[in-house]
Amino acid sequence: MTAQTAQSQAAPPSAAPEHRSKGQLIALIIAAVVALGGIALWVFQLAGGMVNTNMRNLDSWGIYIIFFMLFVGLSAGGLIISSVPKVFGIKGFGGISKIAVWVSICCTVLAVAFVVVDLGGPLRVWELFAYANLTSPLMWDIIVLTIYLIISIIYLWATLRAESGRSTAAALRVLSAIALLCAVLVHTVTAWIFGLQISHEFWYTALLGPWFVSSALLSGLALVLIVVVVLNRTGYLSLGQENLIKMARLLGVFTAVDLYFFGCDLLTSGFPGGQGGETVTLLTTGPLAGYFWAEVIFGIITMIIAFVPSLRKTSLILVASVLSVLAILCKRIQLLIGGFQIPNLDFASLSTGPDLSSGGQAFSSLGGSLIYFPSPLELGVVIGVLGLGVFLLLLGLRLLPLKPITRTTSDTADRD
Amino acid sequence: MTEREKVLERASDQLQSASPETDLTRRSFLKTAALAAGTVALSSSALGCSSIAPGAAVAPGTEEKTVLSGCQYAGCYSCQGLVKVRENKVVSINTWPEDPRHHKPCLRGRAHLQRIYSPDRIKYPMRRAGERGEGRWEQITWDEALAEIGEKWNAYIRDFGPQSIVVEGSGSKSGGYLNSYLLTRLRNIVGLTESASCDDMAMAKGLNKVFGPAYNTWGFPPFDWVELRNSSAMITWSGNITVAATQNWREIATNRENHGMKFVVVDPNFTVAAQKADLWVRPNPGTDTILQFALSSYIVSEGKHDQEFLRDFTVAPVLINQQTRMYLRLSDLGVEPSEGPIDPTTGMPTVIDPPVVWDPEADAPGALGVVAEPPLEGSHVINGIQTRTAWDMLLEVVNEYAPEKATELCGVPVETIHALADIITAGPVFHHTGYGSQSYNNGVQNGHALGLLGAITGNTGKPGAGTGSGWHGPTYNLAYTYPTGFNSMAIAKLALCFDVLETGMFKGEPFPVKSLFMAGSSIIGGFLDTNRVVKNLENVEFIVTADLTFNDSAKYADILLPVTNNYEQEDIFGSDLYVLYMEKAVEPAFESKTDGEIAIELAKVLGVGDFFSMTNDEFLHEALNSESMIAAGLTVENLKEKRVIRFLPEGYVAPRAWPTGTGRMEIYVDTPFPRLDVGQTIDFDAEHMPRWFPPTEAWHENELMQEYPLIFMSERARNRYHTQDAESTWLREIEPEPIVRMNPRDAAERGISEGDYVEVYNTRGHAVALARLSEEMKPGVVKYPKGWQIYQFKSGCWGSLHNSDYDPVGVNDSYFDAVCNVRLWNGEVHS
Amino acid sequence: MSVQLGMAIDLKRCVGCHTCAVACKIENNLPDGNWWNRTTTEGGDAQDTPSGVYPNLKREYITLACQHCANPACVRACPVGATYKREEDGVVFQDYEKCIGCRMCIAACPYTGVRQYNWEEPKHAMDYAVGDADVPAHQKHTVEKCTLCAHRLARGEEPACINACPADARHFGDLHDLTSEVAQLIVQREYRQLLTDKGTEPSIYYLV
């Protein structure tokens, strides 16, 4: 341990100043209110019918599943960031592992919440366990997500126990390995919900599994970075600049990998010039072009910030992280909507009634308007769920001992 | 809120529910907010688990019965089907597997049950409670309605005569003995005026010129579709077969499969029939006659005409007096005419004065029918009279349009004309007539020219051959509808709506029309020049409408009488070569009555109730009490048992004898006369032979086309039976609103894209519709699926664009003889 | 050999009249806006429009409903087995009671539009149930689709759309029974199927 690190770690965590606690409380209350508002809207959605969303038969999934994908990725990423150093016995990122796990748990809960708000019959959720159809990737994902949530919680608990000496580092390491495996599996299986479906050319690729994992790493790390930078500012923790830079560089690498996968997929679609060409057009110049180019540009900006030493300032890293999460959100949007945007059968048929809402009228014309855009209700529910996430996050920060410890009680503990 | 306002609100709701707009509108927000507020305890149904009603599964053991009933439209097929009734409501109609006609109710027939319970249904007698056309009504009782009608009508009869009351329409179903025919009976006994139909009559008139009129307009020989088994080809002249004659398409398809029958479609646009055709022929609109002449000319020039037939069964060899242009007759040679049997229509003996032909053996003139083999050609001076054979004169006409000369004008390539001629002469063919080609002021010529073509090819009176197909019914007992003789005069609907109602004159004499009884009429919206009709209705003091729904016709009434739907009444009537019995499936809903029952009630208030005091069965017995009916075994008992009986034997082939003066095909008409007498003069001279002249409006040489360059056509709609079913929500999910088909090039010129709202307009009116860009349309032509009600348009209506100008011979609605232009709609709403 | 019910639809006869679609709608008492069977146009971009330039035009009508695939993608994807393939006749069936409304099956099925989700409490044009009494009630927030009129099959009757077609274009029967009319037609006539490259093995044959 260098003197510098020791010094930064020796900085005592002072008692929380009054304003922080109050601010946190206010934030908690606001988040709770937003979450309750979201629940009210959800009840409204169930009672009044999902017709109040802009999803319809020709684009039967929308923003809820988009955010589901995003949050599975965010949660998997968080846990991977936390567990990889332990598994491989390498230096971590300055003791943020518990925060990362808690962020990951919150994200998992939100992912599940997004699926639940998307269900038509949430009271029938018990059927998933009574009648589980084990050939369904959605069923696999539910099973894995459940296991993953449990493991995440156990992992956090184990970390806390290890910190207080009530559990061995070796046991923690084993658990870390399981958690890591689970995290990778969770997002791979989520990818398979789409990647195994022959129904949409846009989705059906072997690459989707690995690609989701790389997106998870990218977005998960970015989210952890955001939380950590913010908490650093508020004084909750004190993060060494070198750890920040380490993570920023990693962010750049993950971005490169993700864009590499994207490039491979685009080329594979576009090269033969046949039907796949439709996909390329849809993304590059069609209705999804905005999201495509945003993702690419945000990715380039992120890489620049990550790899140019003079740009690796905290504020810019924060910007890069936010852009990374948005970039992955754009990617989810492209994947989900893009899949539905190109119908397999484009015979002219009934195209009024519940096939298309006013949010998406372009059944048979690419380059027309998008087939889907969320309704105010859907946006409201999403904001409500996000509010729930913020609430849980703040609650955890308030009630759980998530701060990085400064006393060195074991060798591994301060290598987090 | 008035009935009408409720209906309009419901109608607009229904239209909205068929539209893609589903944003969280204020209405839906309030509805669902109320729902959410009301469900404090989160019931499983609120949370989207189970649904209870009305789509709920039917309780087990619910009583059901099946009744064989069906549509009752003489203008269609009146398909019978198994009507399922559950708790006294009609729930479906399905195919009757034992139907000897093998008919299957189409989408319209299936959707009919919606009309019974439609929110637009007229449930009770209503009296107008505002200005005419405002749509405000007050409910009254039948007694009140009949009392008012009786009071007014009896006064009109007293002061202006019974002819001052005009009956427009034949009931909301057409052709039934207990409905349409009871109305006819009433009309005849009291002496009310008939508004005689002018719909799709020009082709019929043209063919009647050749084949002779029978007791009804459609008297030309029926063609039994079963006979397609012997036809080498079937040609439809502008028939939209797959939509308007769906049941016949099956026969066509089967015969193509079984023996390679050829299917030819003559139509400027790519209809579905054209899509299926072996040969698609595309004459310019209004030039089908030229095409027929070209075919005749070519066939004769190739020597493929049936000379024996022409000689023995047509007036081709008859010598025509070149001065009078009429048949030379024996009386011109000094032979006294003799008397024949009494003509039942005139009550006078027939005069026998045969036309003259040349007898080659005697080298002298002789009588038609006596001379064995008169020549088709020849001119002779007989008794100082210059004569030529009819054949020579007709050949001159058709040769003017030999293929090489015709092709420019009619737009059909010479090779196609030759190919079609080859098909026509390859064997017996069936010439099916649609109504498109006759829908211009030169439409009568179309029928006449087709008759000529049929005669030239000997294409009638043998298996597999048909030239036109009359909708035929057996001759019922005329005493049923005319028990006191023929007391009712007829005024052509065209003359009524556009001349008589406007001027108060008919045939130069004052003719006040005090009241109009609209019994299933469609003169508003489903007819021509709507704005002019509506204006002219202002001159009618008292309008009574008997109809099923609050449609266009009901809009302008003073008294509304609610009528029954198909399934709520029994009846017997003819359809093509069959007579059908339709059983009543459910009791009439609300206070509706059948058209027949209304006729009976009206008879009572008019003091002729004695003629109407019979039961349904007694009425039917009287109607069927005719020679031809009895001979065909068409008794009420038989019909009730068998439900459908052919009145002509299977494989019926019309005999080669026709009810013309000569008993032959009169391809040259001796004494042409107009279809209906409206006091017009016709060009007698010009009408002996078919000829072609351009349509009045829809012709490029017409100056009007400089500003209105598009020809304006309509098509039978899949989703409506004429104007009926326009309110069906199911059918409106398929076709939600009025559209106009136009060629993409015409659209591009006007900056119009698919799905734009456009205004179709001309000097007479306008209509706003969705643009449907389609290459099926010949450039320069626009076409709309017909039958929308005025309230279903964003502005205007189709009827307002049509031309009320009519040809004096055919006295026919010339729907397509109109031009228009199209532009993007600017959002203005006006009539 | 197992039974696989299927259809042969004669495109030469089909004139796109929508009668089969309306017959199905009424028979199954479908909610407003739901169509299990629809008449689509293969040609131009809008209903009834052909491809090509006047007068060289082409148009075909394809009536489209669930293809009752031998290798159905939806069955594999449903997490609760609400959609399943029946052993006795190969019909791909939908159990409304089990459906949790996740719409995975809609995402999994390549045949655009054949599956309908009830996005709200089913609204019906008529305030009483039309069609057949044995049809299960429609439920809000569940997926539904053509069932080959399973309620009629149970009574030994053919699906409503089959006997409704005025053009006699629709044939139905056991594809695995070589003596059945439908199997014979497939042998005798040229046909096409939809999306065969997806490997779903649809049971609907379009005779050309």
Side-chain angles (χ1 to χ4, degrees):
Chain A
M1 203 189 342
T2 64
Q4 201 184 8
T5 352
Q7 195 179 14
S8 61
Q9 286 210 320
S14 45
E18 283 300 315
H19 75 274
R20 253 191 298 149
S21 204
K22 204 160 159 205
Q24 195 189 55
L25 190 61
I26 290 170
L28 260 169
I29 290 170
I30 292 172
V33 166
V34 170
L36 284 171
I39 290 173
L41 286 176
W42 178 47
V43 169
F44 180 101
Q45 175 183 285
L46 289 172
M50 291 174 76
V51 70
N52 292 303
T53 68
N54 272 349
M55 295 183 280
R56 292 294 182 270
N57 290 329
L58 294 179
D59 58 287
S60 52
W61 281 338
I63 196 171
Y64 299 148
I65 301 297
I66 288 170
F67 272 75
F68 160 70
M69 282 194 275
L70 180 67
F71 275 88
V72 172
L74 291 172
S75 87
L79 204 69
I80 290 171
I81 298 305
S82 168
S83 60
V84 157
K86 287 196 185 62
V87 172
F88 294 107
I90 55 177
K91 235 163 143 207
F93 303 101
I96 53 136
S97 135
K98 285 174 296 184
I99 291 169
V101 175
W102 181 244
V103 167
S104 169
I105 289 171
C106 293
C107 287
T108 310
V109 170
L110 289 197
V112 171
F114 278 119
V115 169
V116 170
V117 300
D118 185 68
L119 287 181
L123 289 190
R124 288 181 177 175
V125 157
W126 61 272
E127 290 184 7
L128 282 168
F129 304 100
Y131 300 125
N133 177 19
L134 295 174
T135 62
S136 166
L138 189 58
M139 191 68 237
W140 301 341
D141 207 26
I142 288 165
I143 292 169
V144 172
L145 263 174
T146 311
I147 294 171
Y148 177 62
L149 182 61
I150 294 168
I151 287 188
S152 305
I153 293 169
I154 292 173
Y155 184 55
L156 180 62
W157 172 79
T159 307
L160 292 172
R161 275 175 74 92
E163 269 183 3
S164 61
R166 277 180 287 163
S167 172
T168 63
L172 189 60
R173 191 169 171 184
V174 167
L175 208 49
S176 302
I178 296 171
L180 176 62
L181 202 64
C182 219
V184 170
L185 200 62
V186 146
H187 217 42
T188 310
V189 172
T190 304
W192 286 343
I193 291 173
F194 299 91
L196 298 181
Q197 303 307 326
I198 42 94
S199 52
H200 299 278
E201 282 260 339
F202 203 79
W203 297 346
Y204 189 59
T205 169
L207 193 60
L208 214 65
W211 194 0
F212 265 43
V213 173
S214 81
S215 301
L217 289 169
L218 173 56
S219 59
L221 173 60
L223 181 62
V224 167
L225 260 170
I226 293 169
V227 171
V228 155
V229 165
V230 168
L231 290 179
N232 202 26
R233 287 249 174 89
T234 64
Y236 182 86
L237 57 75
S238 151
L239 185 65
Q241 196 62 14
E242 73 205 33
N243 284 312
L244 203 59
I245 288 167
K246 237 193 314 192
M247 288 195 276
R249 276 210 295 257
L250 210 50
L251 196 71
V253 169
F254 289 158
T255 306
V257 170
D258 202 60
L259 286 177
Y260 163 69
F261 281 147
F262 205 166
C264 286
D265 196 53
L266 261 183
L267 186 64
T268 311
S269 291
F271 182 80
Q275 213 193 346
E278 269 183 275
T279 312
V280 177
T281 316
L282 173 65
L283 292 176
T284 52
T285 56
L288 289 175
Y291 301 103
F292 172 80
W293 290 110
E295 182 185 349
V296 169
I297 290 167
F298 291 172
I300 291 171
I301 294 172
T302 301
M303 284 193 289
I304 291 171
I305 293 173
F307 295 137
V308 175
S310 56
L311 294 177
R312 284 198 289 256
K313 297 193 178 34
T314 308
S315 53
L316 285 180
I317 291 171
L318 180 64
V319 165
S321 303
V322 170
L323 288 182
S324 295
V325 174
L326 288 177
I328 296 306
L329 174 62
C330 284
K331 190 175 141 246
R332 307 303 185 204
I333 292 170
Q334 287 168 63
L335 184 77
L336 189 104
I337 299 180
F340 288 112
Q341 184 84 12
I342 306 176
N344 290 323
L345 298 171
D346 63 354
F347 305 138
S349 77
L350 304 174
S351 59
T352 58
D355 276 356
L356 290 172
S357 64
S358 57
Q361 290 272 320
F363 178 29
S364 59
S365 60
L366 288 180
S369 58
L370 268 186
I371 202 171
Y372 164 83
F373 197 84
S375 72
L377 171 73
E378 288 169 276
L379 290 171
V381 172
V382 166
I383 290 169
V385 175
L386 293 176
L388 176 69
V390 170
F391 178 79
L392 285 174
L393 181 67
L394 291 175
L395 201 65
L397 288 171
R398 192 180 181 77
L399 300 177
L400 296 173
L402 297 178
K403 280 196 193 177
I405 50 160
T406 51
R407 292 181 297 111
T408 53
T409 52
S410 73
D411 274 350
T412 49
D414 70 355
R415 283 185 197 163
D416 278 352
Chain B
M1 201 188 254
T2 66
E3 181 81 14
R4 177 60 175 158
E5 281 162 29
K6 284 186 211 149
V7 161
L8 281 176
E9 191 186 87
R10 253 173 307 215
S12 87
D13 273 358
Q14 283 163 5
L15 278 175
Q16 274 178 23
S17 73
S19 86
E21 275 304 318
T22 50
D23 285 336
L24 197 62
T25 61
R26 184 167 168 275
R27 175 180 281 144
S28 63
F29 177 90
L30 288 175
K31 191 168 67 173
T32 51
L35 244 171
T39 47
V40 174
L42 297 176
S43 69
S44 65
S45 115
L47 290 184
C49 284
S50 63
S51 126
I52 320 165
V58 175
T62 306
E63 204 193 286
E64 261 181 23
K65 66 170 178 162
T66 303
V67 176
L68 188 64
S69 185
C71 284
Q72 298 176 21
Y73 299 119
C76 198
Y77 296 87
S78 302
C79 298
Q80 290 163 303
L82 298 172
V83 176
K84 196 184 287 187
V85 178
R86 200 156 57 219
E87 295 183 315
N88 295 317
K89 298 243 167 115
V90 175
V91 297
S92 65
I93 179 168
N94 281 309
T95 303
W96 176 32
E98 288 90 39
D99 183 2
R101 297 192 296 166
H102 304 293
H103 282 9
K104 298 166 147 199
C106 68
L107 72 169
R108 299 165 290 255
R110 287 172 181 272
H112 269 346
L113 66 92
Q114 285 205 291
R115 302 200 83 205
I116 304 178
Y117 314 106
S118 160
D120 291 324
R121 182 151 191 193
I122 303 171
K123 299 180 179 150
Y124 318 104
M126 310 291 270
R127 180 190 287 127
R128 174 167 59 86
E131 291 306 307
R132 246 197 219 160
E134 235 188 288
R136 284 150 56 75
W137 307 96
E138 57 167 352
Q139 181 180 337
I140 56 177
T141 64
W142 270 102
D143 286 338
E144 283 177 271
L146 291 165
E148 182 171 337
I149 295 171
E151 188 196 312
K152 294 209 157 88
W153 279 9
N154 282 315
Y156 295 142
I157 292 170
R158 182 194 65 221
D159 299 334
F160 301 96
Q163 70 272 20
S164 67
I165 301 166
V166 178
V167 179
E168 216 300 301
S170 55
S172 58
K173 270 64 66 191
S174 44
Y177 291 115
L178 289 177
N179 290 291
S180 297
Y181 285 73
L182 275 179
L183 191 55
T184 309
R185 184 180 166 100
L186 172 72
R187 190 170 38 78
N188 268 302
I189 291 170
V190 178
L192 309 174
T193 301
E194 175 192 2
S195 164
S197 176
C198 299
D199 306 320
D200 301 326
M201 295 293 186
M203 175 68 82
K205 172 62 185 173
L207 286 166
N208 280 143
K209 288 172 83 177
V210 173
F211 287 109
Y215 75 96
N216 64 22
T217 317
W218 304 98
F220 47 94
F223 178 80
D224 184 2
W225 285 80
V226 171
E227 273 305 296
L228 282 182
R229 66 188 165 193
N230 291 317
S231 307
S232 69
M234 187 246 177
I235 298 114
T236 178
W237 294 87
S238 78
N240 194 9
I241 296 255
T242 63
V243 176
T246 318
Q247 304 299 330
N248 292 136
W249 163 248
R250 190 176 47 250
E251 304 289 329
I252 297 170
T254 302
N255 282 288
R256 294 175 81 189
E257 282 165 22
N258 289 353
H259 67 91
M261 183 185 81
K262 292 248 185 317
F263 179 48
V264 178
V265 171
V266 181
D267 195 311
N269 304 308
F270 190 61
T271 58
V272 179
Q275 171 189 330
K276 303 288 189 193
D278 294 303
L279 179 65
W280 174 31
V281 182
R282 303 177 285 276
N284 292 328
T287 64
D288 298 58
T289 305
I290 294 176
L291 174 61
Q292 286 155 347
F293 286 158
L295 289 163
S296 295
S297 169
Y298 178 67
I299 288 168
V300 172
S301 72
E302 293 281 297
K304 289 189 177 166
H305 54 300
D306 189 339
Q307 299 192 54
E308 281 78 41
F309 183 86
L310 284 162
R311 183 192 65 210
D312 298 336
F313 294 103
T314 78
V315 296
V318 168
L319 293 166
I320 306 297
N321 180 332
Q322 292 303 290
Q323 194 168 17
T324 65
R325 294 173 66 84
M326 295 173 66
Y327 298 169
L328 191 69
R329 292 184 181 270
L330 284 186
S331 57
D332 295 318
L333 310 182
V335 176
E336 278 299 310
S338 52
E339 278 190 5
I342 309 281
D343 177 349
T345 54
T346 61
M348 305 287 284
T350 50
V351 174
I352 301 179
D353 184 7
V356 171
V357 295
W358 193 254
D359 186 343
E361 280 182 19
D363 200 33
L368 180 70
V370 171
V371 177
E373 293 184 10
L376 294 177
E377 305 90 359
S379 339
H380 307 272
V381 179
I382 303 168
N383 283 15
I385 304 170
Q386 182 69 46
T387 70
R388 287 176 74 194
T389 60
W391 179 243
D392 277 347
M393 295 177 72
L394 285 163
L395 214 48
E396 219 172 64
V397 170
V398 304
N399 284 339
E400 225 189 287
Y401 296 98
E404 294 72 21
K405 297 182 223 163
T407 185
E408 174 82 36
L409 212 49
C410 75
V412 179
V414 174
E415 315 80 64
T416 311
I417 298 175
H418 291 178
L420 181 53
D422 289 343
I423 289 174
I424 288 173
T425 52
V429 304
F430 174 42
H431 290 286
H432 170 264
T433 51
Y435 300 128
S437 55
Q438 55 98 63
S439 204
Y440 306 85
N441 280 339
N442 60 11
V444 173
Q445 310 307 321
N446 210 231
H448 195 164
L450 183 63
L452 175 60
L453 178 61
I456 284 173
T457 50
N459 197 66
T460 184
K462 61 185 182 189
T467 300
S469 176
W471 279 79
H472 218 72
T475 313
Y476 61 95
N477 174 15
L478 285 180
Y480 178 64
T481 49
Y482 303 96
T484 58
F486 300 99
N487 303 317
S488 162
M489 65 175 287
I491 299 184
K493 183 161 82 168
L494 280 164
L496 174 77
C497 293
F498 301 114
D499 302 321
V500 179
L501 290 184
E502 216 161 83
T503 63
M505 307 283 280
F506 181 56
K507 292 209 232 182
E509 297 292 315
F511 195 99
V513 174
K514 305 307 291 180
S515 179
L516 205 53
F517 178 38
M518 309 223 313
S521 161
S522 61
I523 53 173
I524 301 156
F527 189 46
L528 313 163
D529 209 341
T530 309
N531 293 334
R532 195 172 163 202
V533 171
V534 168
K535 187 147 196 325
N536 290 344
L537 285 179
E538 288 169 20
N539 299 334
V540 180
E541 230 173 73
F542 184 54
I543 298 180
V544 179
T545 298
D547 216 312
L548 194 62
T549 54
F550 284 93
N551 53 24
D552 291 338
S553 308
K555 207 166 142 173
Y556 292 92
D558 300 312
I559 300 258
L560 279 180
L561 301 176
V563 194
T564 47
N565 171 279
N566 297 336
Y567 304 129
E568 297 168 328
Q569 59 185 52
E570 65 168 352
D571 212 338
I572 288 178
F573 55 109
S575 176
D576 205 13
L577 302 181
Y578 297 81
V579 179
L580 316 170
Y581 172 73
M582 296 291 190
E583 191 183 336
K584 177 158 82 170
V586 286
E587 286 303 312
F590 314 110
E591 286 181 21
S592 62
K593 290 188 190 291
T594 70
D595 290 296
E597 284 167 353
I598 292 174
I600 293 169
E601 294 304 320
L602 291 172
K604 289 182 196 161
V605 297
L606 293 176
V608 294
D610 287 344
F611 286 97
F612 290 85
S613 56
M614 295 191 263
T615 62
N616 276 0
D617 268 358
E618 285 167 348
F619 278 127
L620 289 173
H621 272 107
E622 188 172 333
L624 269 57
N625 190 22
S626 75
E627 271 179 47
S628 62
M629 290 271 200
I630 294 168
L634 293 164
T635 64
V636 179
E637 292 70 34
N638 275 353
L639 280 163
K640 283 193 174 178
E641 190 203 316
K642 300 231 176 60
R643 304 308 186 90
V644 50
I645 299 179
R646 273 184 72 106
F647 79 94
L648 288 174
E650 182 101 353
Y652 173 79
V653 172
R656 288 180 158 182
W658 302 278
T660 56
T662 58
R664 294 173 169 231
M665 285 182 74
E666 293 192 353
I667 48 184
Y668 187 106
V669 180
D670 190 35
T671 49
F673 55 91
R675 190 178 69 84
L676 291 169
D677 177 15
V678 295
Q680 77 275 53
T681 49
I682 64 166
D683 187 348
F684 191 81
D685 248 14
E687 288 299 320
H688 297 288
M689 294 191 289
R691 68 196 193 288
W692 182 82
F693 52 90
T696 307
E697 202 170 278
W699 190 246
H700 60 270
E701 284 163 4
N702 183 347
E703 244 181 56
L704 200 55
M705 283 198 80
Q706 293 193 13
E707 210 189 317
Y708 303 100
L710 303 171
I711 296 178
F712 183 62
M713 291 190 188
S714 66
E715 65 182 46
R716 297 308 197 246
R718 280 208 194 92
N719 296 296
R720 290 171 291 288
Y721 171 67
H722 293 295
T723 58
Q724 301 193 28
D725 300 308
E727 66 281 301
S728 164
T729 60
W730 294 326
L731 299 181
R732 275 187 299 139
E733 286 185 16
I734 297 172
E735 190 186 342
E737 55 185 314
I739 63 169
V740 60
R741 303 192 201 280
M742 57 192 305
N743 186 285
R745 267 152 286 162
D746 291 331
E749 267 172 42
R750 293 162 171 79
I752 294 169
S753 310
E754 174 69 36
D756 280 341
Y757 279 109
V758 295
E759 186 189 7
V760 184
Y761 64 99
N762 63 17
T763 56
R764 291 177 289 272
H766 79 294
V768 172
L770 219 50
R772 174 60 47 87
L773 273 51
S774 176
E775 286 286 349
E776 73 190 279
M777 293 306 301
K778 183 183 165 67
V781 177
V782 300
K783 186 159 67 130
Y784 67 86
K786 66 183 221 117
W788 292 102
Q789 300 286 327
I790 295 172
Y791 75 81
Q792 294 173 311
F793 287 85
K794 293 210 175 315
S795 181
C797 68
W798 293 129
S800 69
L801 282 121
H802 284 294
N803 191 353
S804 54
D805 197 35
Y806 58 89
D807 157 53
V809 177
V811 192
N812 180 51
D813 306 332
S814 294
Y815 283 100
F816 294 6
D817 207 337
V819 295
C820 68
N821 207 341
V822 182
R823 60 187 166 211
L824 285 169
W825 184 41
N826 61 8
E828 255 179 62
V829 177
H830 59 103
S831 65
Chain C
M1 183 155 39
S2 64
V3 172
Q4 174 61 63
L5 294 180
M7 287 192 205
I9 300 170
D10 193 341
L11 295 186
K12 281 210 167 108
R13 281 184 171 251
C14 178
V15 292
C17 71
H18 298 266
T19 296
C20 56
V22 172
C24 167
K25 187 156 176 92
I26 297 174
E27 171 76 14
N28 291 291
N29 193 33
L30 296 191
D32 291 349
N34 278 15
W35 291 81
W36 289 357
N37 184 17
R38 45 185 72 190
T39 304
T40 72
T41 308
E42 184 183 39
D45 288 338
Q47 200 175 47
D48 300 320
T49 60
S51 60
V53 174
Y54 184 93
N56 302 304
L57 304 166
K58 209 165 164 325
R59 175 178 52 209
E60 203 67 83
Y61 287 101
I62 308 287
T63 51
L64 185 62
C66 171
Q67 305 281 296
H68 295 281
C69 303
N71 181 26
C74 57
V75 169
R76 224 173 293 123
C78 174
V80 292
T83 191
Y84 61 94
K85 195 164 172 69
R86 303 204 312 192
E87 290 271 348
E88 68 269 29
D89 54 15
V91 169
V92 175
F93 200 68
Q94 194 81 18
D95 183 349
Y96 304 155
E97 288 303 317
K98 277 199 183 157
C99 180
I100 60 173
C102 73
R103 307 178 311 287
M104 178 81 217
C105 55
I106 300 183
C109 172
Y111 297 96
T112 315
V114 300
R115 282 177 166 273
Q116 313 273 311
Y117 183 67
N118 284 316
W119 296 93
E120 56 185 328
E121 189 64 48
K123 290 196 276 210
H124 289 78
M126 315 300 288
D127 63 4
Y128 61 95
V130 298
D132 200 284
D134 295 340
V135 169
H138 298 274
Q139 296 189 17
K140 171 174 155 195
H141 293 172
T142 59
V143 174
E144 50 183 56
K145 65 173 189 68
C146 164
T147 60
L148 277 188
C149 281
H151 57 283
R152 291 172 66 111
L153 297 177
R155 303 193 298 254
E157 294 165 20
E158 53 184 8
C161 63
I162 301 291
N163 86 0
C165 176
D168 278 355
R170 299 174 79 83
H171 307 273
F172 163 83
D174 179 9
L175 296 173
H176 289 168
D177 173 8
L178 295 174
T179 64
S180 74
E181 186 201 16
V182 75
Q184 306 236 319
L185 279 166
I186 293 165
V187 165
Q188 290 158 8
R189 296 274 304 267
E190 275 180 46
Y191 60 82
R192 55 187 271 210
Q193 291 197 284
L194 297 174
L195 304 178
T196 46
D197 56 331
K198 301 287 184 193
T200 49
E201 295 167 39
S203 303
I204 310 293
Y205 291 79
Y206 296 93
L207 308 174
V208 299

